[in-house]
Amino acid sequence: MEDASQGSVSLGSDPLDALEIPDGTTVEEHDLVTDGDVIVGGQSTVEFGVRGRNVFAGERVQFGGDIEAEGDCRLDVWCDVAGNVLVGQDAYLGERVHVGGRLMVSGDLDIGDDVDIEEGFEASGWIVIRNPVPTLVFYFIVLSQLLRLGENEAADELAESLTGDSEIDPLVVPRGSTVSDDAWRASTPAHVGDDCRLHGNLRAESITVGEDNNIFGSLRARGDITVGPGTRIHGDVTTRNGTVTIEGDARILGDVSCSELELHENAAVDGTMRAKGDMRIVRADVSRDAE
């Protein structure tokens, strides 16, 4: 039986129930770059610029740079973008959105009242001024009702429509989170895919990091932390009550502090290792037998 959580959007009690960083995500000159969609929950702060396929943001989200969306861009009420917004297809801007630069839309523009675009805008298609229900609010109200009624198949279809039914997982920032050069902070679990290059300390309820990543910062969680094979963490790894698992060929360029530690024999920790409970070394032959 397949794990229901392995879809384009995690369908739990809240569709934004984890910080999800998909494979290949990078931070390039203060821009957060991903091949898939970017979904940001309300009242979050993303101090980077953002480049992705489609960009969706809830209410009162702040962006510290430009937004570049190959497809659609939808910004709900009171969003603030410090730079330009460049959209390859259609755009929706809710009421009282502020754009510090220029808005360029290749398709249609749906815009609410009191939108402030400091350097003007251009749209190649239709321009409609109205105040419909904000897009993310509408999606998530309907999605939560479907989940409450047990209509999982219908919820799956709605979630796929939100992300364009793409095989590429979206980058998801939960409600009330902060993403910056200094720290990625979320009150939810955090999942990092493979082949990512990130700057900033990662703070979350629990943390799972995939293979062959470079994270220039520390990891800190209340629960468990897993560091996948070939990943380098340029900082400390700390959990208050959980287990730290460091897999083969991973390297921690800092200290490790946890309740219990599981360390692959081919992994390396440059600093001090502290565990309140058990500290186990996993042999390479044991790892292969478990696969």
Side-chain angles (χ1 to χ4, degrees), residues 89-100:
Q89 296 181 15
D90 300 334
Y92 163 77
L93 274 64
E95 62 181 355
R96 294 181 174 82
V97 166
H98 171 258
V99 177

Side-chain angles (χ1 to χ4, degrees), residues 97-108:
V97 166
H98 171 258
V99 177
R102 190 168 182 80
L103 172 66
M104 303 285 290
V105 181
S106 296
D108 298 337

Side-chain angles (χ1 to χ4, degrees), residues 5-10 15-28 31-40 45-46 48 50-51 167-174 177-181 183-186 188-220 226 231 233:
S5 68
Q6 300 300 313
S8 57
V9 171
S10 176
L16 298 180
D17 60 0
L19 174 62
E20 302 282 356
I21 304 172
D23 296 351
T25 299
T26 59
V27 175
E28 301 175 5
D31 282 342
L32 184 56
V33 181
T34 184
D35 291 333
D37 296 343
V38 177
I39 304 173
V40 183
T45 299
V46 180
F48 301 113
V50 171
R51 281 187 269 160
E167 294 181 358
I168 303 175
D169 291 334
L171 189 153
V172 178
V173 178
S177 300
T178 300
V179 176
S180 71
D181 260 333
W184 300 53
R185 300 181 186 275
T188 65
H191 306 130
V192 181
D194 303 333
D195 300 308
C196 297
R197 182 181 177 89
L198 307 177
H199 295 265
N201 303 307
L202 185 54
R203 306 286 184 257
E205 180 65 29
S206 61
I207 301 172
T208 302
V209 181
E211 300 181 9
D212 299 321
N213 297 287
N214 248 318
I215 298 181
F216 295 89
S218 61
L219 307 182
R220 181 179 296 173
T226 299
T231 286
I233 307 297

Side-chain angles (χ1 to χ4, degrees), residues 136-192:
L136 286 183
V137 173
F138 172 77
Y139 268 115
F140 294 158
I141 288 174
V142 175
L143 184 54
S144 63
Q145 290 297 323
L146 290 173
L147 291 169
R148 188 173 294 114
L149 295 172
E151 298 288 344
N152 292 336
E153 184 174 346
D156 282 334
E157 292 178 358
L158 180 60
E160 288 176 356
S161 71
L162 176 62
T163 59
D165 196 16
S166 171
E167 294 181 358
I168 303 175
D169 291 334
L171 189 153
V172 178
V173 178
R175 182 180 182 84
S177 300
T178 300
V179 176
S180 71
D181 260 333
D182 176 62
W184 300 53
R185 300 181 186 275
S187 59
T188 65
H191 306 130
V192 181

